[in-house]
Structures are given as structure tokens and as C-alpha cells.
Amino acid sequence: MFRTALRNVLVHKARLLMTVLAVMLGVAFVSGTLVFTSTISDASQASSRKGFDNVDVVIKPSDNTQSTPGARSPLDHKLLDKAAGVPGAASATGTVSGFTAIADKSGKLIGEGFSTSGSNYFPGADGKDARYPMRDGAAPKGPHEFALDAHTADRGGYKVGDTVRISVDGPVREQKLTGIFTTDDGTVAAGGSLALFDTATAQKRFAAPGEFSEIDIKAAPGTSQAALKDAVEKILPKQGATATTGKQLVDEQSKFIATGMDGMKNALLAFAGVALFVGTFIIANTFTMLVAQRTKELALLRAVGASRRQVTRSVLIEALVVGTVAAVTGLLAGIGIAAALRALVGATGAKVPDGPLVISPSTILISLLVGTVVTVLAAWLPGRRAAKIPPVAAMNSLHSIATTKSLMVRNTIGALFAGAGAAAVLTATGMSYSGSTRAIMGAGVGLLLIGVLVLTPLLSRPLIALAAPALRLFGISGLLARQNAVRNPRRTAATASALMIGLMLITGMTAVAGSAQQAIDKMATASLKADYMVSMASRTPLSPDVAEKLASTDEVTASSPLRNSPARIGTTTEFLTGVNGKDFGKLTQLDFSEGALGTLSGDRAVVDDSTAKEKGWHTGSRLPVTFEDGKRGTLAIGGVYQRNQIIHGIILDNATLAPHQKHITDMQVMVKTKDGATAASKDKLVTALGKNPAITVADKKDVSGDIAKTITLMLNMLYGLLAMTVIVAVLGVINTLAMSVFERAQEIGMLRAIGLDRRGIKQMVRLESLVISLFGGVLGIGLGVFFAWATGELIKATGQLSTYETVLPWGRMGLFLALAAMVGVLAALWPARRAAKLNMLQAIKAE
């Protein structure tokens, strides 16, 4: 039986080619994802470890110090000196860092917002900082000097002695470039930038005079990190600072990087799973047809003594051979895909840390198991069905027509699953949002999808019948195409289901993404009367000088900075949002459920409805507050407004908040101008701010454009990933049609003999393919619309997007249906040509 199975694989290798390709694509996606994410993760971790080569123990402020109002960082020069004198310490370095934007010679920002940073050059006894060896020039020594990493200097075309425009918190500063250094910093290796200032300047810009962000200690030879940490902990204040070994930091950073990569890996593997799931329909279809074509052969094997188990085993051995070949080729293709992805990421301008491709044993094992297991499982049912056929019945081909009982059982099961799934989805849409709601919704979606897949043969007849009027236009070819499409409902269903799943996902995601974009856009425009929102490109705090500069501009009629400050209210820490109370009403249009905005001044504040409901506050409530500087006061709630994505929290006048802030910074500034949001007004604001590359001036269209850009980017990525599913579906249609042509060779020969020409044969096969593909497309788009609606109800239940309404992308849906039709036309090209070339006499004699 083993030799028989191998012989059948070799005999039918052309027919199994599409199955091999389908499995190979899915396995390539899996292995490529695992290799790519492992490579990037390992390279990032290696780059990160380099940054801790000279660090054995790190002192950092404790979390409660950073969030407690009035608390001051204990990391000062006094603690630094103590750390340097700890037994077993070779040296101690004080570090302070923050955002620093570097402009190129054309005024544009080098790098991306969060990856552009600044720090301090901390010279040792020899006058050098071992972390940053100077390639050219010397270290910075005054407030108007700085040094730049070599990679950024080369990108910007800068050399020692140049004057460079930089920005730390908003205003543009012109600094003299005194040195260019090399570094193993992981951010720089990933394409970021690093600017260095002398310690006093860095402290003034990133923290406070005399304060550090962290203190790094290097151990003397013979001292372990654990021993040094024990010694360091003895000099720490009782509260406010913690000590951590370099190894712990490396492990934490590695875990953080691995966790970050897990999100990407899981998302990519999910799409690989969809592609493999779609591939199972092709595999099952292929083996069903192969078994049907070898019915008499299998019957003869049974007649000469082969048992049912041996027949089933022979089919599974064929599947195992096919799956193994597909898995091996998929693994190799996946390694190539990972290398290509890495090169593609580098070509887009993103800096990828150097390192070899990581092909772990687990990747090889998973890829091989996925390919073989999926193939064998998909072939098990056709093999089992073949083994159940009595030899005499198989000789007479009585098995070929599914019994009425089997179809009734299948339809009953499908109806029960679909009904239960639809009921669960509808129940979830009527529930308040919770974890159980998501679980019920997920279970309902799964049950409904399974039910529809089981019912697809039943649905094929009425839906394909709708195409009858159009097919009549093609005469006898159209009539034959419709009859062929419904002749074997199970085969038609399996072929169409692959395309259905892909279009269901694409339609659902497009509808949800478009609806979310419109909801956020509506929320933004409804709550804002300001013409512009001014913020840092990195979303880091702005200097209050920016708000003052804008307020003094003739073009501006009203403006308000938005400031955040932690405060203790009761037993919890809340963030207060400070605004210009006089102008805030001119810049916003909030919907109040209690009270009104009025004039914000003194101790009067307003709060969003979510916070008010959680805390039990209402209009007239008086809140005891401990401000950031430790002083106490009281706030009176004057109104409760509807929360939105832009404005939320506890809002009060900046005149009340500012005296209690240690460092006054703004998150963004709302601006209203004389002439509204015009190109001329925007240019005036940009010019007033010194054409600063680190600051963005965005009107409502820009805000909507950013939202649209993000969602469009996400959708394009999803389309690219789901294209794999569509490709697999195309292979399935080609495979089914090609094998169907072989199966119907005698019939096609008879049609030729009685007068149907080659053109008519081609047209028949093409129309059959078109009808099956459109059937899958209609089902997929219909399911996608239903799931988009259900997901929208779930989103509305969360309360995060109150303006959400499901909007159907009719234009895109039309394109998706056209895509299904194109799949049908393209998939039929080779099978139709093959059918037309059959020799009619040989075909009539074919068994």
C-alpha cells in the first residue's frame, strides 16, 4: 500500500501541483514570519545589550516619586558622589535625557519623533566620556555647543563647526556642532538620532538643575553586579530611588523587545493561519476528486484483500508526501521571504540592526509540522469516505451521488450552527460591554461562519440560479456552465469557500475601518471650534514660550495651551488639564449633560462624564486636591461634559494650576485665527514659530488626514496580507477546474462530437469559473457586512466612540465583487485552454 501511494503521487503530480503551491504559500508565510521576527528581535536585543556593556548597576527614581505631587527626584550630585565612593564601584555616571529634534539643512526633521533624543556628555577624570568616543572634534562645553552622532551627522551633511538648528521643547535654537561621535546606542542603530550637551545644559533642558534621570555605576574588577547592588542600596534614600543590576535591565529590555515583536508575529501568523485554513479547502477538494477518479482502482484493491484502514492509510500517505514536499519548499521560501522583508524594511529608510538571519530549530519544526499536519487532516475525510465505499458499488460508480439523507444531515447541522451563531451575535450586540460580551460575540462569529460553510452546498443552487438569465445570453455554453456549477454542490461549495473567507475579512475590515475613521473625524470636528492644533512632532511637551508667541501674533484671535499636572484627589492620583479659561469656550464646543462650561476661573472646573460616573461626582461636588507642589486646595465641579478622543478629564483655568507646577509645559496649543483655517493663516503661524521642524501646525483637515493616513496604512497592510488568501483561492479554482476538465474528458469529447466548437468549450469552462467565483464573492461580501455591523455595535457598547455608525463602503464592495469576477476569469484561462485542446476521439474513449 505504501508503494501504491507513492506511485499515485508520481502519477498525479501535475494534479497535485496546485495543492503543493497552496500549502507551500501558507507554510512560507509562517516560516517567513518566524524567521523575520526572530531576526529583528535578536538583532535589537544584541544592539540593546551593547548599551549596557559599561553599566553594572543603575539607580533610577522610583515610580511613586515620578507620580507623587510635590515629590523631588533624589538623583542629584550628592547621591552621585556617594555612588562613586561605594566599595566595589569603579566609576559613576550621571545621565539626563529627553527629546531633541535635529533639522537638516533644508529645515526638515531628521528621523522620527520618538527616536530623536538628547543626553549629556559626562566626562571622566581623563576628560572623556567612554560611552561616546569622538570621531571628529571635541565634546560640548557650553550652552550653545553640542555634539552629534556620526550617523545623523552624515545624513544631515554636517561637519564640525557647522551651526545646526535644533529644538528641545518648541523654540528653535541654533547650536554650534563641536564634535561628532560614534555610539552603540540601540536607538541610533535603529535609525534615530542622539545629540549631546554638557551636563548643566542637559539638566536645564531635560530635568532640573542638579537632577539626573539615572545614575550608572561600573563595577571594579572582581566585584559582581549583585554585590555592587547590595552596596549601592545602603546609600539610597529610604524612599524615592531604586537600584537595578545591568543584567536585570538587559533582561527587561530583551523581554520588552520580544513582547513588542510578539504583537507583529501574532498578527502575521493569524493571516498565515487564514491562508492555511483556506488551503484546506483546496486540499480536501483535490483529494476528493482524486479519490473519485480512482474509484475503480480502490475497489479493486478492496476486492483483492485491502482493508478499509489500508485504503484510508494509502490516501493519507499520499497527503503526507505532498505535505512534506510543500512544507520543505515553504520553509525555504519563507527564509527567502524573511531576507527580502528585511531588505525591504531597510530600503524604506528604516534602520534595521545588523545581525544574521535567525533560523531556530523551533521554526523548522513548526513549519514542517504545519505543512504536513494541515495536509493530512484535510485529506483524512476524503480517504475515510473512499474506504467506506463497498467494492461492488464502487465498480458501478453508485457512490458518486450524495444521498438525500447525507445532504439533509449536513443541512440540518449547518442550520443549527448558523442559527446559534446568529443568535449569539445578536445577543452580544444588545449587551453592555464586558469581557463576556466579547467572548459571546467571538463564539457567535465562529459558529455562524462554520454554519455558513456547512450550508454552502445548499446555498449554491438558489444563488447560482440567479445568474441563469445572464448565462442564457451565451447560449448553450452558458446553460452547460450553470449545470456544471450545480452538478456537484459540495465541490462548488469547497471551491467558492476559499474565496468567500478572504472577501469576508477584506469587506468586514474595510467597513469597520471606514466607519471608525468617520466617527473619529465627526467627533473631532464636533468638539473643536479652534482652527489649528499646535504640538510637537514627537507628542512631547511644548515650551510655554510657544503659546506666548502664538498669543502675541496678530493673526490669532483666541488661543489656549493644554497643560497636564498630576494631583492627588482623595486616595488616587488624577491628571488635571489646565486651559486658558477666558478663551476655552471660543475654541471648543463640548456637549454638557450637567451644568455648563461658563467661564473657567478660580476653583471652578468641569469634568468628563466617564470620570464623573466612575468617581460619583456631579455638578456642585467639591473635591479636596493636593497639587503637584504638595499644596492643598479645593475644586468645585461646575459641569459634566461628554468625553471625546481629544478633550477629556478634569479641566480648570491655567491661572489656578500654573502656580502649583514645578515645570510649566504644554501638551498642545489650540488656536483660532482671524481668517479661519486658510493656507495663508497657517503660513503665518509657521513663520511666527521660526519654521520649526519639530512643531506641527494642524487644522481639522490635517487631523482628519492623519487619522485617514493611519487607517489607510493599516488597511493597505491588511490588504497585502489578505492577498495571500486570495492567491490561494485562485489556485483552488484553477485546481478544481483543471481536475474537473480531466474528470469530464469523455463528456467534453461528446460535446465536441455533436457540434460544440473549441470556442464554446472555452466559454463553458470560463463561465463556470466565473459563476463559482461570484458565488463565493457574494457570500463573502454578505458575511463581511454582517460582521462589520456586529463589530460596530460592540464598538459603540464600549462608549469610546459614541459617534460610531456603520458605513458600508459601496464603492469598495463593488471593487471586491469585480475582483471575485476577475479571479474567476483568470483562474479559467489554463483549464479552458486545456479543455479546448482535448482530442475528441481520445476523450470519448477515456475511462
Side-chain angles (χ1 to χ4, degrees):
M1 296 302 292
F2 181 74
R3 288 197 300 272
T4 301
L6 291 180
R7 182 185 62 80
N8 284 325
V9 171
L10 295 174
V11 169
H12 300 124
K13 54 183 178 291
R15 300 181 215 173
L16 291 168
L17 177 61
M18 296 300 173
T19 300
V20 171
L21 286 175
V23 179
M24 185 199 75
L25 286 173
V27 173
F29 210 157
V30 171
S31 62
T33 296
L34 294 175
V35 172
F36 177 71
T37 53
S38 296
T39 297
I40 299 299
S41 179
D42 280 23
S44 299
Q45 290 177 29
S47 177
S48 173
R49 282 193 293 270
K50 288 182 181 179
F52 294 100
D53 284 347
N54 295 314
V55 178
D56 293 301
V57 174
V58 176
I59 303 175
K60 288 186 175 183
S62 57
D63 293 337
N64 60 351
T65 301
Q66 299 177 43
S67 60
T68 301
R72 179 180 172 86
S73 172
L75 274 62
D76 53 18
H77 284 278
K78 183 178 180 181
L79 183 59
L80 176 65
D81 292 338
K82 287 183 178 180
V86 166
S91 63
T93 303
T95 301
V96 61
S97 58
F99 168 75
T100 301
I102 309 295
D104 62 18
K105 292 185 177 180
S106 64
K108 295 181 179 180
L109 179 67
I110 300 177
E112 298 295 333
F114 289 104
S115 63
T116 55
S117 59
S119 187
N120 63 310
Y121 187 86
F122 194 88
D126 59 355
K128 297 179 181 180
D129 190 332
R131 300 171 300 172
Y132 309 115
M134 289 293 160
R135 188 188 74 180
D136 303 311
K141 294 182 179 178
H144 302 295
E145 297 181 353
F146 85 113
L148 190 60
D149 72 270
H151 180 64
T152 305
D154 293 341
R155 280 192 292 172
Y158 291 123
K159 62 182 183 299
V160 171
D162 287 346
T163 298
V164 182
R165 299 172 76 244
I166 71 170
S167 178
V168 172
D169 54 2
V172 175
R173 293 181 170 90
E174 293 190 345
Q175 303 270 155
K176 182 180 179 181
L177 182 60
T178 62
I180 297 174
F181 60 91
T182 59
T183 178
D184 291 328
D185 186 280
T187 304
V188 175
S193 65
L194 178 61
L196 297 179
F197 306 92
D198 68 276
T199 298
T201 302
Q203 287 176 328
K204 183 179 179 181
R205 292 180 181 174
F206 302 134
E211 289 186 5
F212 296 104
S213 303
E214 65 179 54
I215 296 175
D216 302 332
I217 308 169
K218 182 172 177 58
T223 302
S224 68
Q225 290 188 353
L228 182 59
K229 177 189 174 185
D230 291 340
V232 167
E233 286 179 336
K234 295 177 181 178
I235 66 164
L236 296 181
K238 293 182 179 180
Q239 293 181 342
T242 59
T244 309
T245 64
K247 184 180 182 305
Q248 287 177 312
L249 289 176
V250 169
D251 292 342
E252 289 174 6
Q253 188 72 8
S254 296
K255 185 178 179 181
F256 175 78
I257 293 170
T259 302
M261 294 303 299
D262 281 346
M264 179 194 298
K265 180 169 70 176
N266 292 337
L268 292 173
L269 287 177
F271 286 100
V274 172
L276 284 166
F277 179 62
V278 170
T280 59
F281 290 97
I282 299 174
I283 301 164
N285 229 12
T286 300
F287 278 93
T288 298
M289 296 175 76
L290 284 175
V291 167
Q293 292 167 15
R294 289 160 40 207
T295 300
K296 292 185 178 180
E297 176 189 327
L298 294 176
L300 183 60
L301 289 174
R302 291 288 312 281
V304 298
S307 65
R308 287 186 177 184
R309 183 175 297 178
Q310 285 178 311
V311 171
T312 303
R313 192 181 300 158
S314 70
V315 176
L316 294 182
I317 289 171
E318 289 181 51
L320 181 62
V321 173
V322 170
T324 302
V325 171
V328 172
T329 54
L331 173 62
L332 297 176
I335 294 171
I337 288 172
L341 276 176
R342 183 174 175 179
L344 182 62
V345 170
T348 60
K351 180 72 174 175
V352 180
D354 294 330
L357 282 177
V358 179
I359 307 169
S360 64
S362 61
T363 297
I364 297 173
L365 182 61
I366 289 171
S367 300
L368 295 179
L369 282 177
V370 164
T372 54
V373 170
V374 167
T375 309
V376 170
L377 287 178
W380 175 75
L381 189 59
R384 185 170 176 268
R385 191 182 298 138
K388 282 186 174 183
I389 302 171
V392 175
M395 290 291 187
N396 293 315
S397 299
L398 296 177
H399 71 289
S400 57
I401 300 174
T403 63
T404 303
K405 180 181 177 182
S406 68
L407 290 175
M408 287 184 62
V409 170
R410 177 181 180 129
N411 294 337
T412 302
I413 293 172
L416 290 174
F417 271 90
V425 170
L426 293 174
T427 301
T429 57
M431 297 171 60
S432 58
Y433 182 78
S434 65
S436 60
T437 307
R438 293 198 307 269
I440 293 172
M441 175 73 77
V445 168
L447 288 172
L448 181 57
L449 179 58
I450 292 171
V452 172
L453 288 173
V454 174
L455 287 173
T456 307
L458 177 66
L459 298 173
S460 64
R461 288 185 178 275
L463 289 179
I464 291 176
L466 295 175
L471 291 174
R472 288 196 192 101
L473 300 175
F474 298 94
I476 190 65
S477 296
L479 176 63
L480 291 171
R482 185 176 71 82
Q483 290 176 348
N484 289 333
V486 297
R487 177 186 297 181
N488 192 329
R490 287 179 174 175
R491 183 185 302 170
T492 297
T495 305
S497 294
L499 189 60
M500 178 193 77
I501 293 170
L503 290 182
M504 177 193 72
L505 292 172
I506 291 175
T507 302
M509 290 176 179
T510 301
V512 171
S515 302
Q517 176 185 326
Q518 179 172 297
I520 294 172
D521 186 25
K522 187 185 295 184
M523 183 178 289
T525 54
S527 62
L528 285 179
K529 290 194 286 187
D531 295 318
Y532 297 99
M533 300 290 286
V534 180
S535 62
M536 293 290 284
S538 60
R539 305 304 180 203
T540 51
L542 278 164
S543 166
D545 295 343
V546 174
E548 293 175 9
K549 183 68 176 178
L550 290 169
S552 64
T553 303
D554 293 338
E555 185 69 17
V556 175
T557 58
S559 66
S560 173
L562 298 179
R563 297 173 182 168
N564 284 338
S565 176
R568 179 74 66 176
I569 300 179
T571 59
T572 61
T573 297
E574 305 287 340
F575 276 87
L576 306 177
T577 300
V579 299
N580 181 350
K582 182 181 68 174
D583 286 347
F584 190 64
K586 302 175 185 177
L587 300 165
T588 59
Q589 188 169 335
L590 301 178
D591 184 12
F592 278 80
S593 57
E594 293 183 31
L597 176 62
T599 300
L600 290 176
S601 61
D603 64 355
R604 191 173 185 276
V606 293
V607 63
D608 70 80
D609 51 358
S610 297
T611 304
K613 182 179 179 181
E614 179 186 348
K615 303 293 183 181
W617 300 337
H618 52 81
T619 301
S621 296
R622 298 190 66 82
L623 314 178
V625 180
T626 301
F627 290 101
E628 184 180 350
D629 61 354
K631 294 183 179 179
R632 298 183 179 181
T634 303
L635 292 179
I637 302 299
V640 178
Y641 64 91
Q642 185 174 325
R643 176 191 179 99
N644 60 66
Q645 298 295 110
I646 296 176
I647 301 173
H648 51 83
I650 305 168
I651 301 174
L652 69 162
D653 189 15
N654 274 326
T656 303
L657 183 63
H660 300 290
Q661 291 184 273
K662 293 192 295 182
H663 309 293
I664 296 178
T665 56
D666 303 327
M667 293 309 298
Q668 53 189 356
V669 182
M670 296 185 292
V671 178
K672 194 169 184 63
T673 58
K674 292 178 182 177
D675 301 325
T678 64
S681 297
K682 186 173 182 177
D683 286 342
K684 289 179 182 178
L685 295 181
V686 171
T687 302
L689 295 173
K691 296 183 178 180
N692 193 326
I695 296 179
T696 60
V697 179
D699 59 20
K700 292 179 183 179
K701 289 183 179 179
D702 294 329
V703 173
S704 299
D706 286 342
I707 296 170
K709 183 178 179 182
T710 303
I711 294 178
T712 301
L713 178 62
M714 178 192 71
L715 269 182
N716 289 338
M717 290 176 61
L718 294 176
Y719 288 161
L721 294 169
L722 288 172
M724 181 74 72
T725 305
V726 176
I727 291 171
V728 173
V730 171
L731 294 176
V733 178
I734 294 173
N735 205 29
T736 301
L737 288 175
M739 297 184 72
S740 180
V741 166
F742 179 85
E743 191 177 67
R744 302 199 312 255
Q746 191 176 56
E747 176 187 318
I748 292 171
M750 290 294 296
L751 290 171
R752 290 290 313 281
I754 62 176
L756 190 62
D757 59 12
R758 289 185 174 182
R759 181 182 178 187
I761 294 294
K762 284 184 179 180
Q763 194 172 68
M764 177 188 71
V765 176
R766 288 170 183 164
L767 289 174
E768 180 184 351
S769 175
L770 181 63
V771 167
I772 292 173
S773 296
L774 285 175
F775 168 56
V778 169
L779 274 184
I781 292 172
L783 281 174
V785 168
F786 179 77
F787 292 146
W789 169 80
T791 302
E793 294 300 306
L794 197 64
I795 291 173
K796 284 196 284 188
T798 64
Q800 297 297 315
L801 278 178
S802 57
T803 54
Y804 186 96
E805 292 180 4
T806 300
V807 179
L808 297 182
W810 294 106
R812 293 281 181 96
M813 287 161 61
L815 286 176
F816 298 154
L817 198 59
L819 173 65
M822 187 174 68
V823 166
V825 172
L826 294 177
L829 291 178
W830 178 59
R833 189 164 177 267
R834 182 182 178 190
K837 281 188 172 184
L838 285 175
N839 184 292
M840 69 178 75
L841 294 179
Q842 291 179 354
I844 291 172
K845 292 191 300 180
E847 286 292 334

